[in-house]
Amino acid sequence: METSNPVGRSTSHAINELVGKAFSVLDDGLVRVIDYMGGDDAIVQAARISYGAGTKQVHEDRGLIRYLMRHRHTTPFEMCEIKLHIRVPMDCWRQWIRHRTANVNEYSTRYSEAIDASQITPPDQWRSQSGVNRQGSGAKIQPEDGEILSAREEELQKFSREVYDQRITFGVAREQARKDLPLSTYTEAYWKIDLYNLLHFLSLRMDAHAQYEIRSYATVIGNEIVAKWCPLTWEAFIDYRMQSTSLSRLEIEVIKRVVTGDQVGANEFAQSVNWLESGKDGTKRNRERDECELKLSLLGLAVPWLQETAF
Amino acid sequence: METSNPVGRSTSHAINELVGKAFSVLDDGLVRVIDYMGGDDAIVQAARISYGAGTKQVHEDRGLIRYLMRHRHTTPFEMCEIKLHIRVPMDCWRQWIRHRTANVNEYSTRYSEAIDASQITPPDQWRSQSGVNRQGSGAKIQPEDGEILSAREEELQKFSREVYDQRITFGVAREQARKDLPLSTYTEAYWKIDLYNLLHFLSLRMDAHAQYEIRSYATVIGNEIVAKWCPLTWEAFIDYRMQSTSLSRLEIEVIKRVVTGDQVGANEFAQSVNWLESGKDGTKRNRERDECELKLSLLGLAVPWLQETAF
Amino acid sequence: METSNPVGRSTSHAINELVGKAFSVLDDGLVRVIDYMGGDDAIVQAARISYGAGTKQVHEDRGLIRYLMRHRHTTPFEMCEIKLHIRVPMDCWRQWIRHRTANVNEYSTRYSEAIDASQITPPDQWRSQSGVNRQGSGAKIQPEDGEILSAREEELQKFSREVYDQRITFGVAREQARKDLPLSTYTEAYWKIDLYNLLHFLSLRMDAHAQYEIRSYATVIGNEIVAKWCPLTWEAFIDYRMQSTSLSRLEIEVIKRVVTGDQVGANEFAQSVNWLESGKDGTKRNRERDECELKLSLLGLAVPWLQETAF
Amino acid sequence: METSNPVGRSTSHAINELVGKAFSVLDDGLVRVIDYMGGDDAIVQAARISYGAGTKQVHEDRGLIRYLMRHRHTTPFEMCEIKLHIRVPMDCWRQWIRHRTANVNEYSTRYSEAIDASQITPPDQWRSQSGVNRQGSGAKIQPEDGEILSAREEELQKFSREVYDQRITFGVAREQARKDLPLSTYTEAYWKIDLYNLLHFLSLRMDAHAQYEIRSYATVIGNEIVAKWCPLTWEAFIDYRMQSTSLSRLEIEVIKRVVTGDQVGANEFAQSVNWLESGKDGTKRNRERDECELKLSLLGLAVPWLQETAF
């Protein structure tokens, strides 16, 4: 990270080399840096005006950035801004645009004819409905079914475009001709956002529960762009967001008992918050208890109610 | 407008009667008031805390609301909030959601199967591309072409749903099965917004240049709901926004000359700002001049450069 | 919580009884509910439109609200809105107004004379600068010093008001006369915010690190108002926000080793991330290590690098 | 305006020369450009992705920018961003911060001692309360009174600082010591905002009705910075915002009658909307009528109800 001058425009070799470079995403999508403002140095600069002379000598840059991230001092991260050019299926864009804190200029299918490209799913890329997560995908669909599904998709996308083209030929207004385009149709946009809000977007969309398509974009933006643009911030983001966990009041109570060997107390607490209710097929399903089990496992602790002595 | 008590929840008979009532829009869409906060009285109440005791006797409610609207004192209008339930084609929703200042909960096609309804265009509702406005519609398409277009649309929507249903049957995850749904598919949402931002939405979407579909929703929201919810505000909005016009620096210069009979001066000014450049087919097209002509006409003034003596 | 009808305005006895009631804060401040929209039932209603029919039977209200809070599904909480009347010293308001997602109408000292009231600090309420927290307060100042400080404060506030009144008497414009008012001068405002953003405000301003003055307001809003308005949401907020903790990637690594008795490994890890660097007076101060120690202590775990066998 | 490459970071000589340069405002304030993103070229670039290939040849840059400004196509202007360092009295900052769409890092008087500087009013700069505008200033106060007022101000500011310094000496926490600082105390901030929202800020704060102090800052930002950063946008902003006027439905009705010489009709219309009500001292004051008179005058038209033949 070099800065041209103490009060001036910050620039960085690493990000400068990315400007204009297109990263491919999905079968025909892309992400490309158009412009940026600031970087790790601008975050430090902004934090220091907040904290005044007091902190000047105390922290070095890395320590200060980590402190800001850890304590959710968000405004210094808003001092950085990035503008991306993206090409993305409309279905994925429908999720993307729900993040309201960005500036957007999207390709208009009122002004111009719709982009003649749709996201194509190859036979081996069809995903089954998750059994455990109502909103997610599970294993891949078996290949022979995938062949059928992809063939039908090709047929549908081809037919949709024929209908669109026919409408244009008949002189139908573009704003109406587009009405039956499939959601898989690609669109393009400039998307400009500050670093704080971008990290929030990434924390949600790089998450394993995010849909594969938007996760693919988020992963490229995070790993290929932000990691190079603001390396100290990215490191702190990984440590304090992406690879962190949170413990609820209830989970803290359970863990406190487990680490002192008080398995009985832990079970009693779990019972008191209705995590161990019996149903006809044994203990009832309880999502909050399941999540606590995952965290116990993450910390290398035994689940008290799954121990033999527990019951 | 009645208020239960001076500092309490404001309520209004007119809007209370609308709560829960569905207004039909398009072939299968709807708008319905779920809840609201405030009304004309809440705007006055908020303005009076800003202005303090000073204005208490000076203005009556109507005058104060008109003053606030005229002078773009926007914050008192933000004191009212409304929550609507809407059912809308995804294509229209794509425009709607670009208004970032609302709170939104949309039907999720990851959690549940897509709504089995698409916006259907009858043979007499196909619109031709506007000749003068790159983003608009012109006259209706002739009926015999409309028959062909509607038949093809029905075929496409039917095929799209078959493909969707087949994917679901094959066990494809809902989040992926939806990828080729047509943009005409209906979605539903709760949409909550403050009155200031709602009026901004309406000023853009009730405008004659807005696309017919979203204009249909905006018109219902404006005329059927806001007009009853906040009648004084609505009257001021019509007078100072919807039926107002603006004059640019250049238009003021032209009009000043025209009203004193200085046709020569008006033409000289128009020439000085390049509104009267010659092309090979007479005067070149100039959009800003066209707009000035419309305003002259609105005010009942002759267009100086179209008068015989002008050239 | 009762709802008048399934799609209608939600109302709640508990909050209705609070509407209009002033809660005192500080020596002369207040918080008062003016109006509200929604409640726990509106959150559930909004979540169910997102999730569609799929979730209708699965969750009961409490479970659903807890799930939403735990997984940071924020949009359903935005469906509730509250409007408060507050009276607050300008110094405190300077912090408050930094939360940008609210609607605000503040008393205008351009339109009306400044409110003739300042926050007064009694002799036993002066706080010393914290030794450990650059931005916080520590123990109370001793009473004899407090007497001096309060006497001087009274003198200053009295003189400031005299100067203000003199300016008004001399005919100085209110907008200029106010320029030297002390920050302790009270102002009033209507403040309207959705529940999601209100909870974010409360999580920051009820925190022990928040300044005493704004914490006093936040505590009243949280405990006296939100807890009654949306009791299920409040319970979840306490469990998953206020009394939760987060563990960073580094803290997870340390805890994993500690719980299996691998004190050596825990210390080696701490060393590898520079938490145990030596300075001239023993181990250097390290804020991130300090925070890890607090979390170990919260979970009832020994701090590995403070154990005798550790070195 | 030069661009390094078609998809790359836009730069401009004119603004580059301003980066880091401090513009003085008031007695001890400043505005300084820290960094920027985009410029006129970035607006055009963004508009063209919205409009697609269709508009490429049609408009040149200037025409396109003017079209966007005239028709309130706001999103392309959001593609530019600027970051300023400002030093400003807290009283003025109280107004400034009400613009919620910016990113802000302010000097913290919790972390560091308050800046030892207050805005000083010289004897000839005291303004009297406006007789016509409840929130504005009128003529200057006469010099002998100004001498008295400035002497008292100096005394008050000196005393305030002594009290502050004494508190610090007594060990009072900075967050509490600051509570009686005068609003004239200077603060500093980094303020980052997109061009669309900046122009909105300028349209309100460069207006003749804005308070002198914030108007001084807005004028420097507009005339010295934005005019050089985005010269085509600035020209359009002047023509379509700053030097434009709007005509309400009622004003249009009056003007239409006046320009055709229908003075009687104009007066009848004015009467029908209650602009000409009689009070005990002749026609009652009516603010909306007053504003219409100003617009008639701007356009060089006689006010029909002030003509002899009118009554």
Side-chain angles (χ1 to χ4, degrees), chain A residues 94 106 111 119 127 129 134 137 153 157 173-176 178-181 183-184 211, chain B residues 94 106 111 119 127 129 134 137 153 157 173-176 178-181 183-184 211:
Chain A
R94 269 171 51 82
E106 189 192 348
Y111 277 94
Q119 189 207 357
R127 310 185 300 260
Q129 178 66 38
R134 280 196 61 81
S137 293
E153 179 182 77
Q157 291 182 352
R174 286 182 291 272
E175 65 174 19
Q176 192 178 35
R178 68 183 173 183
K179 71 186 281 285
D180 293 295
L181 286 172
L183 290 174
S184 56
Q211 185 166 341
Chain B
R94 270 172 50 83
E106 189 191 350
Y111 277 93
Q119 189 206 358
R127 312 186 299 260
Q129 179 66 38
R134 281 197 59 82
S137 293
E153 178 182 77
Q157 291 183 350
R174 287 182 290 272
E175 65 173 20
Q176 191 177 33
R178 68 183 174 184
K179 71 187 282 285
D180 294 294
L181 288 171
L183 290 174
S184 56
Q211 185 166 341

Side-chain angles (χ1 to χ4, degrees), chain B residues 158-231:
Chain B
K158 193 162 162 287
F159 184 36
S160 295
R161 191 71 198 190
E162 279 170 18
V163 167
Y164 179 77
D165 289 342
Q166 183 187 38
R167 288 177 188 173
I168 297 297
T169 306
F170 272 52
V172 173
R174 287 182 290 272
E175 65 173 20
Q176 191 177 33
R178 68 183 174 184
K179 71 187 282 285
D180 294 294
L181 288 171
L183 290 174
S184 56
T185 309
Y186 273 97
T187 185
E188 300 198 11
Y190 281 5
W191 189 65
K192 173 171 155 284
I193 192 165
D194 69 62
L195 179 58
Y196 166 69
N197 281 293
L198 178 57
L199 292 176
H200 183 67
F201 172 89
L202 295 179
S203 73
L204 294 172
R205 302 304 185 177
M206 288 179 75
D207 187 273
H209 291 93
Q211 185 166 341
Y212 169 77
E213 281 76 15
I214 199 163
R215 189 155 27 97
S216 303
Y217 284 90
T219 303
V220 164
I221 295 172
N223 291 340
E224 303 298 331
I225 296 172
V226 181
K228 282 160 192 164
W229 175 32
C230 301

Side-chain angles (χ1 to χ4, degrees), chain A residues 124-141:
Chain A
D124 61 346
Q125 294 301 317
W126 293 97
R127 310 185 300 260
S128 64
Q129 178 66 38
S130 166
V132 292
N133 182 348
R134 280 196 61 81
Q135 69 168 322
S137 293
K140 292 282 161 62
I141 294 279

Side-chain angles (χ1 to χ4, degrees), chain A residues 84-129:
Chain A
L84 302 174
H85 173 205
I86 58 172
R87 181 179 166 101
V88 56
M90 286 181 183
D91 186 40
C92 185
W93 183 239
R94 269 171 51 82
Q95 297 182 323
W96 199 312
I97 200 70
R98 296 297 311 278
H99 296 262
R100 290 161 293 186
T101 46
N103 307 117
V104 178
N105 278 276
E106 189 192 348
Y107 182 88
S108 168
T109 46
R110 290 185 85 194
Y111 277 94
S112 302
E113 288 187 23
I115 294 171
D116 189 8
S118 299
Q119 189 207 357
I120 295 165
T121 308
D124 61 346
Q125 294 301 317
W126 293 97
R127 310 185 300 260
S128 64
Q129 178 66 38

Side-chain angles (χ1 to χ4, degrees), chain C residues 17 23 56 60 62 69 75 117 128 182 210 221 238 243 264 277 282:
Chain C
E17 279 166 19
F23 291 95
K56 253 180 203 144
E60 352 142 31
R62 181 171 172 273
M69 180 71 74
T75 57
S128 65
I221 295 171
I238 297 297
Q243 299 186 10
V264 173
E277 284 185 288

Side-chain angles (χ1 to χ4, degrees), chain D residues 289-303:
Chain D
R289 185 195 65 219
D290 294 348
E291 294 172 19
C292 183
E293 292 179 8
L294 284 174
K295 291 182 193 170
L296 287 163
S297 161
L298 172 74
L299 297 176
L301 294 166
V303 177

Side-chain angles (χ1 to χ4, degrees), chain C residues 94 102 106 111 119 127 129 134 137 153 157 173-176 178-181 183-184 211, chain D residues 94 100 106 111 119 127 129 134 137 153 171 173-176 178-181 183-184 211:
Chain C
R94 271 171 49 83
E106 189 191 348
Y111 277 93
Q119 188 207 357
R127 310 184 301 260
Q129 178 66 38
R134 282 196 59 82
S137 292
E153 179 183 77
Q157 292 183 351
R174 285 182 292 273
E175 63 173 21
Q176 191 176 35
R178 68 182 173 184
K179 70 186 282 283
D180 293 295
L181 287 171
L183 290 174
S184 56
Q211 184 166 342
Chain D
R94 270 171 50 83
R100 289 161 293 186
E106 189 191 348
Y111 278 93
Q119 189 206 356
R127 312 186 298 261
Q129 180 65 39
R134 281 196 59 81
S137 293
E153 179 182 77
R174 286 182 291 272
E175 64 174 19
Q176 191 177 34
R178 68 182 173 184
K179 72 187 280 286
D180 293 294
L181 287 172
L183 289 174
S184 56
Q211 185 165 342

